[in-house]
Amino acid sequence: MKYSKLGNTGLVVSRLSFGAMTFGNDPSITSVYKVTQEDAQIMVDKALEAGINFFDTADGYSGGQSEVMLGKTLAKRRQDVVIATKVGFRTGEPVTQAGLSRRHILFSCEQSLKRLNTEYIDLYIVHKEDPYTPLEETLETLDMLVRAGKVRYIGFSNWTVWKAAVAYQMQKERGWATFCNGQMYYSLLGRDVEHDIVPFMQHAGIGMTIWSPLAGGFLSGKYTREGAKDQDNRLSGFDILPFDKEKGYDVVDVLKDIATAHNASAAQVALSWLLSKPVVSSILVGASKLHQLENNLKAVEVELSDAEIKTLDDLTQPGISYPHWFVQNLADQKHREVLGTK
């Protein structure tokens, strides 16, 4: 396993982290929530054996079952690992049991601590934006948790860049605990974060962790045009990521060609491409079956050449819109020549 620091902190995390979203049997998303406690223990043990020290879950996964199950699997190794969980999505029927209000964050943190059977959370992530709660209220509450010792570090997930940037500046100005992590969707089929979020994180020293690095499993190459709607696969039951599937099949073909040269799999190549990006601290690899996890773990052994990375970069270059086009195409030519920039 390889390791890196999480953003500008001293927290050392494995480049691959284990995502426990699949733990549980909640009927709300049967194509995702389907891992038993026994199988969860087997996969967590395999992850630990491979050197993974970073584990991720959320209070909204499988009605809280994911946190409970992860807590049990890591009970004997708690001091050896970094545990991240999240808050923000609905966790109950009452209107108050969702969002990022002081009330809900404090309540949810206590519940997560109980379910995980731990005295502290290493990384506490606000799972989504809350348009109904003042930003100051959310940020001050997160700072309260850090000062109380219940949370060590804080992060955001699925936030727009303007809100993350305003929040970070507000934290700096008021002496509150600052975000050190942004957990975002990023893959060869979803590179929009490169326009805004990535430059912001690099400027602020915030480390990115990646969810769904294989675009919901699509980049593993297991889906075909004919079988994509099979009711037994995850894509048919949890198809939430916006990407062009026809283009996706073309990308998978190239991944398979590159994989052949490395005696690897398409999934390993897709993960290795992400590991080459400087902003990425760690990539979440979730699984519902042991063989999937074992395959993904080998991604750290795949070293792509500069030419292979460029091939994938060029093939999946994200579309550009105003004002990004204006910034990129109308930069001063003399500056480009003198400074050697693109």
Side-chain angles (χ1 to χ4, degrees):
M1 183 54 60
K2 298 178 182 179
Y3 301 86
S4 65
K5 295 195 303 178
L6 185 63
N8 57 6
T9 75
L11 184 63
V12 178
V13 296
S14 47
R15 295 301 310 280
L16 298 181
S17 45
F18 185 92
M21 183 179 179
T22 57
F23 289 5
N25 60 1
D26 190 299
S28 60
I29 314 178
T30 56
S31 62
V32 176
Y33 303 141
K34 53 186 176 183
V35 174
T36 65
Q37 184 69 56
E38 180 181 1
D39 288 339
Q41 188 68 63
I42 291 172
M43 286 193 285
V44 167
D45 287 345
K46 173 60 69 173
L48 290 166
E49 180 186 326
I52 285 181
N53 75 340
F54 192 10
F55 294 81
D56 177 272
T57 183
D59 62 358
Y61 294 164
S62 198
Q65 292 178 47
S66 176
E67 287 184 322
V68 173
M69 293 171 67
L70 184 63
K72 288 180 179 179
T73 63
L74 293 173
K76 296 180 180 179
R77 299 289 300 273
R78 178 63 187 97
Q79 300 306 313
D80 305 331
V81 299
V82 175
I83 296 178
T85 192
K86 312 181 198 72
V87 58
F89 277 96
R90 179 158 298 283
T91 55
E93 194 62 32
V95 68
T96 53
Q97 290 190 22
L100 300 176
S101 67
R102 178 175 288 111
R103 182 188 190 281
H104 185 63
I105 290 176
L106 294 179
F107 172 79
S108 294
C109 183
E110 292 295 339
Q111 296 304 304
S112 289
L113 289 168
K114 291 177 183 178
R115 285 192 289 264
L116 288 163
N117 192 27
T118 183
E119 295 180 354
Y120 63 94
I121 295 166
D122 294 290
L123 175 62
Y124 201 41
I125 301 170
V126 283
H127 208 164
K128 66 183 185 69
E129 293 186 7
D130 179 357
Y132 307 108
T133 298
L135 189 55
E136 295 91 335
E137 180 177 334
T138 297
L139 301 179
E140 185 178 25
T141 305
L142 293 173
D143 181 69
M144 289 168 55
L145 290 174
V146 173
R147 293 180 185 276
K150 295 181 179 181
V151 168
R152 301 293 193 248
Y153 301 92
I154 56 174
F156 62 87
S157 182
N158 308 312
W159 277 30
T160 51
V161 68
W162 77 265
K163 180 158 283 191
V166 169
Y168 184 76
Q169 187 61 35
M170 190 180 296
Q171 290 168 328
K172 298 281 284 187
E173 290 175 349
R174 304 192 183 190
W176 292 339
T178 57
F179 289 138
C180 68
N181 164 251
Q183 187 179 118
M184 306 295 289
Y185 164 58
Y186 188 16
S187 79
L188 279 164
L189 297 178
R191 295 175 57 187
D192 290 343
V193 291
E194 293 177 6
H195 292 318
D196 290 315
I197 285 286
V198 167
F200 161 65
M201 287 188 178
Q202 290 177 314
H203 170 76
I206 295 174
M208 181 180 281
T209 52
I210 311 301
W211 65 267
S212 205
L214 298 179
F218 190 94
L219 292 172
S220 68
K222 66 181 179 180
Y223 297 114
T224 64
R225 289 175 174 82
E226 296 75 25
K229 295 183 179 181
D230 187 330
Q231 293 301 310
D232 292 331
N233 69 48
R234 177 172 175 173
L235 191 63
S236 65
F238 195 63
D239 187 10
I240 65 170
L241 299 175
F243 64 86
D244 183 339
K245 291 185 175 57
E246 281 304 314
K247 179 180 178 181
Y249 290 118
D250 294 337
V251 173
V252 168
D253 288 340
V254 175
L255 286 175
K256 289 179 177 178
D257 289 341
I258 295 175
T260 299
H262 290 270
N263 193 27
S265 68
Q268 290 164 14
V269 173
L271 294 173
S272 181
W273 176 83
L274 277 171
L275 289 172
S276 74
K277 304 305 177 184
V279 73
V280 175
S281 294
S282 188
I283 300 172
L284 273 68
V285 289
S288 58
K289 297 180 177 64
L290 181 60
H291 72 85
Q292 296 170 337
L293 175 62
E294 291 174 327
N295 181 69
N296 291 339
L297 289 172
K298 295 178 182 178
V300 293
E301 302 171 7
V302 178
E303 295 287 345
L304 299 179
S305 68
D306 290 343
E308 289 168 333
I309 292 173
K310 185 177 186 305
T311 294
L312 292 171
D313 282 344
D314 292 345
L315 178 64
T316 62
Q317 191 70 33
I320 188 166
S321 59
Y322 177 85
H324 307 103
W325 178 91
F326 198 90
V327 172
Q328 179 174 304
N329 289 280
L330 298 182
D332 186 82
Q333 184 61 33
K334 181 63 71 175
H335 279 158
R336 286 185 176 182
E337 293 172 358
V338 172
L339 299 177
T341 56
K342 295 181 180 180

